[in-house]
Amino acid sequence: MSTYQDLLKSPGVARIILAQLTARFPFGMLSLALLLHVQQVHDSYGAAGLVLAAASIGQSISGPLTSRWMGIWGMRRVLILTTAVCMLALSTVALFELPVVAYMVVAFIGGLSTPPIQPAVRTIYPKMVSSRQLTPLFSLDASAQEIIWVLGPVVTVFISTQVSTVAGIMTAVVMMVAGGSWFISLPELGQVRIPRSRRRMGAVLTRPSVVVATVVGFLLVGACAAVEAGVVALYDHGLESGIVLAIFSVGSLIGGLSMGHIPISPWSLAKRMLIVAGGLGIASIWLNIWWLGAALFVAGVGIAPALAVLFAMVSATVKFSETAEAYGWVGTGQLIGAALGSAVAGFLIDGVGETGAFLAAAGFAVAGFIAAAIGSRWSPDLRGRDASPIPDTEPVPVQGR
């Protein structure tokens, strides 16, 4: 734990972690809030899955696009614009009862305008700490973000069931604006400028490590999305669903903090995905709340450590000018996974029951383990070296406060 204490004493690190967690907290609420709202309006998990898929497809397009824009127009301008549009789109979903197709269109716009906070902060991190602290910082970040997934589902279920599903979405919207404003105001966003990439958009995908991170992230988040849909359907919007999902995230939080100091080898990602796959496979056997909670806790232990490896392997293998776009593509993979996981789970719930969602989650995780194992040949060996980005051949401008 002393490693993390030293990190948090570094100038600005604690502040930027708290600000970006606050800004991203609504996105731990929105998938579940949209699922509950659309399912209530149209009485169909399949319809809710389609709306979530539309939102996630929009997010998947926005990831590399808005990340690249930050190198052209600056982080603050892009974040202000996307936050405003996303707020309007999500408010429309909450306040108006629309046909499923209309919900999908508005949700797509909301997803397309998702503020690129994650690519921004992970591009800033290498400029805030020493090279030896970067891998532990990625691990701390991946672990800390589990607070979003611990509290987010609980807050969403409580507000949506005790007040209304409209209130559940609007609470997330208010938090998005408040947290985004705090993050945008941080001096670090003015001190670091992302240099304009000289290569065409998508060229970063020629790096095998970025492709591996994108594919495995897609499958990992697809598994998590299927679990979320299955748990909500199993407990019929009850508070139990928030509690079980919180247990899932607590496992991830503990796993991230306990494994953050372990050096990253080419097989680290596959090992962590094996933990996730094993836990989800066990979970699908029996849907008793105690069994399910314990199995999801085990599965969760591998999630934050796997994400930390993904972030580190991208950082260590791309130029600084390409890091934001690379993280945008990784985010796109994760969001497509969320879309597919939600949609597949939704239709399986309608067709064969809640067990289908957990079998789908286990299938995604097993595929993620296989992809990580195959991709180990292209994964960097970071034992004894740092995860800093490859320096650009020209100076990177740093602006004053």
Side-chain angles (χ1 to χ4, degrees), residues 118 122 135 138-139 141-142 145 208-222 264-266 268-270 272-273 302-318 323 326-327 329-331 333-334 368 371-372 375 378-380 382 387:
Q118 191 174 83
R122 291 190 178 130
T135 297
F138 282 134
S139 182
D141 179 90
Q145 77 176 6
S209 59
V210 177
V211 175
V212 172
T214 301
V215 171
V216 176
F218 154 75
L219 294 165
L220 174 60
V221 174
I264 295 174
S265 74
S268 291
L269 185 57
R272 287 153 173 77
M273 286 303 302
I303 293 175
L307 290 172
V309 174
L310 293 180
F311 304 149
M313 68 189 292
V314 169
S315 177
T317 55
V318 302
T323 52
Y327 285 125
W329 283 111
V330 173
Q334 293 176 4
W378 298 293
S379 300
L382 300 180

Side-chain angles (χ1 to χ4, degrees), residues 164-241:
S164 70
T165 56
V166 172
I169 296 176
M170 291 308 298
T171 299
V173 170
V174 171
M175 293 189 67
M176 178 179 68
V177 174
S181 298
W182 182 19
F183 181 73
I184 291 167
S185 70
L186 292 180
E188 285 77 15
L189 269 73
Q191 291 175 321
V192 177
R193 184 178 70 80
I194 301 172
R196 186 192 295 259
S197 177
R198 293 181 176 273
R199 301 205 297 168
R200 61 178 173 78
M201 183 173 176
V204 72
L205 291 175
T206 58
R207 296 185 182 275
S209 59
V210 177
V211 175
V212 172
T214 301
V215 171
V216 176
F218 154 75
L219 294 165
L220 174 60
V221 174
C224 294
V227 167
E228 184 174 282
V231 170
V232 170
L234 180 63
Y235 297 109
D236 193 25
H237 301 191
L239 188 58
E240 295 94 336
S241 59

Side-chain angles (χ1 to χ4, degrees), residues 58-83 85-86 109-120 123 194-195 201 321 323-329 331-332 335:
Q59 288 176 310
S60 70
I61 296 172
S62 77
L65 183 63
T66 55
S67 297
R68 196 174 179 90
W69 284 354
M70 289 192 294
I72 300 173
W73 299 322
M75 286 185 274
R76 284 199 173 106
R77 291 179 181 177
V78 174
L79 288 168
I80 290 170
L81 173 64
T82 52
T83 299
V85 175
C86 191
I109 294 171
L112 195 61
S113 57
T114 300
I117 294 167
Q118 191 174 83
T123 301
I194 301 172
M201 183 173 176
S321 60
T323 52
E325 184 185 343
Y327 285 125
W329 283 111
T332 288
L335 292 163

